[in-house]
Amino acid sequence: MTSNKLRRQPLYEQIKSLLMRRIAEGEWQANEVLPSEWELAGELAVSQGTVRKALTELVGEGLLYRQQGRGTFVSDIASDWGDCSLVTPGLPDERPDVIACELLGCSRMNAAEEIAQRFGIRRAAPLLRVRQVWRLRGQTVALDDALLPAERFEGLDARWVRECGGVYAALQRRFGVRPRLQTEQMRAVTLSREEAQLLNTSIDVPVLSVLRLSSSIEGEPIEWRQRYCLTEQLAYTVCRA
Amino acid sequence: MTSNKLRRQPLYEQIKSLLMRRIAEGEWQANEVLPSEWELAGELAVSQGTVRKALTELVGEGLLYRQQGRGTFVSDIASDWGDCSLVTPGLPDERPDVIACELLGCSRMNAAEEIAQRFGIRRAAPLLRVRQVWRLRGQTVALDDALLPAERFEGLDARWVRECGGVYAALQRRFGVRPRLQTEQMRAVTLSREEAQLLNTSIDVPVLSVLRLSSSIEGEPIEWRQRYCLTEQLAYTVCRA
DNA sequence: CAGTGGTCTAGACCACGTT
DNA sequence: ACGTGGTCTAGACCACTGT
């Protein structure tokens, strides 16, 4: 490992960063096996134990997974639902059905004071706004409205989101950023007429509002997303593995 | 460490169990310092690295916390809210106000098929039912209905829950079990007349329903809790630290 | 200064999966 | 049989906290 003597970062942190960068650059695809701990240790000129510590942390962060006797692998691309899903109420361990995304549109707007502060950008800085609806067995079940700092993700547009099948997948493939759900705020609300129309429901049915803040693994705020879910026949499930 | 040769459990797992038991038995109180890694290693006749691995996992599980240069400490007692709280909507990093618990009552009932299966107990086995309301700045804001397998927690009653200030605190102090939120299912619903009365609201205001499953750290299912939150002026926040 | 946790190394052996 | 990750050891040095 080419480590300057004046380093303030532990070796294993440097290795983590290096591996994250190389994965982001596509050196290994999803579900592909990494070199063994000993190979990495040789290549980076550190001990196997140090490589191991770096890998263990990346496994904990969800970027990698291990299988004893086989190797260490790159995890699947992140979904816009993270560790959440829509399932039948009362059956918390049901396998969720595949949910389909329809991109309504990407637009640009200027950051209000509150949002700007949260992203650590100047007031009225450009934001990227992505609107999506989600369908389950043909029914529209959720409406998303995501805001991202546009200057941080210059070049992200409707084509990327559509081709990758979601905002998070696009961020990971285009920028190597793996979003991490930070907080989610749930409320029971009713919708405006426009939103109700998009969700194909009436304005007096109670709807679950989820306000989500996501960050990169390093803690940089990435996304502010307002989601509305129809929960008459479904439940928004948060799963802590 | 007195480890039989035929062990299937790694040393550090045995140490984890041992420490959990000793903490549960009250050998060290909350925020009290543990013996140093070297002392524990000597006492248990293992290497310091093995103790370290055990402690690291317990820190990850929230039972302990470390401070460099000072030592390793026992964490605070768990709250019935876990990593969730009620805060002002739109301010996800606001410090939540202290929430006060009022115990409505403890009763016993028999397990329906679905619940029995989930707890891995026989049908119609006895359940402990704990009902609570929560107050914030004098306002009633949430109603809880918790079910626990009564035979597993024989002796748990209203006195324990009241004195400890919550079900989870009682479980930890009385049985050394630290509950771990497994899944939470959110829905926007309306209340029955009885529930609306307890929450001091009307039956047509939308309310957040949270159905929670908790387990011990070992994975044993512990609790099934139905919670209703008033979210007109508050948001139910799930925080992933 | 002594004592704590934090990092890093080198080497040994075990458990598992593939060949 | 071989290569992988998983456990365990012993020893070194660093960074931080208290006295």
Side-chain angles (χ1 to χ4, degrees):
Chain A
M1 198 78 191
T2 67
S3 67
N4 39 13
K5 274 294 179 193
L6 298 171
R7 68 185 157 81
R8 345 200 85 266
Q9 266 210 329
L11 265 181
Y12 75 91
E13 288 286 0
Q14 300 177 38
I15 296 173
K16 276 178 63 179
S17 307
L18 179 64
L19 290 175
M20 286 193 288
R21 188 157 4 109
R22 287 168 72 176
I23 290 168
E25 287 166 356
E27 184 162 341
W28 305 287
Q29 299 300 313
N31 298 308
E32 201 170 323
V33 67
L34 259 57
S36 77
E37 297 178 351
W38 283 102
E39 282 175 324
L40 284 172
E43 180 187 337
L44 303 175
V46 299
S47 79
Q48 176 261 358
T50 301
V51 170
R52 184 169 188 77
K53 171 144 191 175
L55 292 178
T56 299
E57 295 225 341
L58 291 175
V59 167
E61 289 165 13
L63 185 62
L64 304 176
Y65 62 95
R66 286 202 260 233
Q67 285 185 21
Q68 176 165 157
R70 304 224 308 131
T72 304
F73 303 82
V74 178
S75 297
D76 274 322
I77 296 288
S79 122
D80 277 21
W81 288 75
D83 52 5
C84 306
S85 58
L86 289 175
V87 302
T88 311
L91 298 174
D93 29 38
E94 180 192 38
R95 280 246 161 272
D97 280 340
V98 203
I99 198 164
C101 170
E102 180 186 332
L103 181 64
L104 296 180
C106 282
S107 56
R108 289 172 88 91
M109 55 185 289
N110 295 316
E113 182 62 47
E114 188 192 15
I115 308 272
Q117 212 162 356
R118 192 159 296 287
F119 282 134
I121 56 181
R122 65 186 187 285
R123 199 182 172 297
L127 291 179
L128 192 66
R129 183 187 188 196
V130 183
R131 305 194 80 190
Q132 304 159 286
V133 294
W134 299 91
R135 284 186 222 287
L136 201 64
R137 301 179 220 116
Q139 300 289 311
T140 307
V141 292
L143 168 65
D144 275 18
D145 202 335
L147 298 180
L148 301 100
E151 289 170 342
R152 170 73 175 81
F153 299 115
E154 204 56 67
L156 187 65
D157 58 9
R159 252 184 19 135
W160 275 96
V161 174
R162 188 172 285 114
E163 278 176 16
C164 297
V167 174
Y168 291 1
L171 288 179
Q172 195 170 337
R173 290 244 279 268
R174 178 80 171 69
F175 298 94
V177 172
R178 197 181 175 85
R180 193 187 140 89
L181 313 193
Q182 198 81 352
T183 66
E184 286 190 314
Q185 284 197 353
M186 321 306 197
R187 300 178 71 202
V189 302
T190 50
L191 293 179
S192 73
R193 198 167 303 278
E194 182 223 6
E195 292 158 343
Q197 212 153 25
L198 286 168
L199 271 172
N200 197 25
T201 188
S202 78
I203 63 162
D204 42 42
V205 50
V207 160
L208 177 68
S209 156
V210 181
L211 179 61
R212 172 190 289 177
L213 249 68
S214 295
S215 66
S216 67
I217 290 172
E218 294 82 22
E220 177 197 14
I222 290 295
E223 186 207 46
W224 165 292
R225 182 185 295 233
Q226 173 66 61
R227 168 174 286 171
Y228 295 109
C229 296
L230 297 183
T231 53
E232 285 175 297
Q233 291 151 50
L234 293 168
Y236 185 80
T237 303
V238 179
C239 184
R240 297 156 169 90
Chain B
M1 197 78 193
T2 67
S3 67
N4 38 14
K5 274 294 179 193
L6 298 171
R7 71 183 153 82
R8 343 200 84 268
Q9 268 209 329
L11 267 181
Y12 74 92
E13 288 286 359
Q14 301 177 37
I15 296 173
K16 275 178 63 178
S17 307
L18 179 64
L19 290 176
M20 286 193 289
R21 188 159 3 109
R22 288 169 71 178
I23 290 169
E25 285 166 358
E27 183 163 343
W28 306 286
Q29 300 301 313
N31 298 308
E32 201 170 324
V33 66
L34 260 55
S36 78
E37 296 178 352
W38 283 103
E39 280 176 327
L40 285 172
E43 181 187 335
L44 304 173
V46 299
S47 77
Q48 174 262 359
T50 301
V51 170
R52 184 169 187 80
K53 171 144 192 175
L55 292 179
T56 300
E57 295 226 341
L58 291 174
V59 167
E61 289 166 12
L63 186 62
L64 304 176
Y65 63 94
R66 287 202 259 233
Q67 285 185 22
Q68 176 164 158
R70 304 224 307 130
T72 305
F73 303 81
V74 178
S75 298
D76 274 324
I77 297 287
S79 124
D80 276 21
W81 288 74
D83 52 6
C84 306
S85 58
L86 289 175
V87 301
T88 312
L91 297 174
D93 27 40
E94 180 193 39
R95 280 247 161 271
D97 279 342
V98 202
I99 199 165
C101 169
E102 180 186 333
L103 181 64
L104 295 179
C106 280
S107 58
R108 289 173 88 90
M109 55 185 288
N110 296 315
E113 182 62 45
E114 187 192 16
I115 307 272
Q117 214 164 353
R118 191 159 296 286
F119 283 134
I121 58 181
R122 67 187 185 284
R123 199 180 171 298
L127 290 179
L128 192 66
R129 183 185 187 198
V130 182
R131 303 194 80 191
Q132 305 159 286
V133 293
W134 300 91
R135 284 187 222 287
L136 201 64
R137 298 177 222 119
Q139 300 290 311
T140 307
V141 291
L143 169 66
D144 275 18
D145 202 336
L147 298 179
L148 301 100
E151 289 171 340
R152 170 73 176 80
F153 299 114
E154 203 58 66
L156 186 65
D157 59 8
R159 251 186 18 137
W160 276 95
V161 175
R162 187 174 285 112
E163 278 177 15
C164 296
V167 174
Y168 291 1
L171 288 179
Q172 194 171 337
R173 291 245 278 268
R174 178 79 172 67
F175 298 94
V177 172
R178 196 180 175 85
R180 191 185 141 89
L181 314 193
Q182 198 83 351
T183 65
E184 287 189 314
Q185 284 196 353
M186 313 328 191
R187 299 178 70 203
V189 301
T190 50
L191 293 178
S192 74
R193 197 167 303 277
E194 184 222 6
E195 292 158 342
Q197 212 152 27
L198 286 168
L199 271 172
N200 197 25
T201 188
S202 79
I203 64 161
D204 41 42
V205 50
V207 161
L208 177 69
S209 156
V210 181
L211 179 61
R212 172 191 290 178
L213 249 68
S214 295
S215 66
S216 68
I217 290 172
E218 295 81 24
E220 178 197 15
I222 291 294
E223 186 209 46
W224 165 292
R225 182 185 295 234
Q226 173 65 62
R227 169 174 288 171
Y228 295 108
C229 296
L230 297 183
T231 53
E232 285 174 297
Q233 291 151 50
L234 292 168
Y236 186 80
T237 302
V238 178
C239 183
R240 297 157 169 94

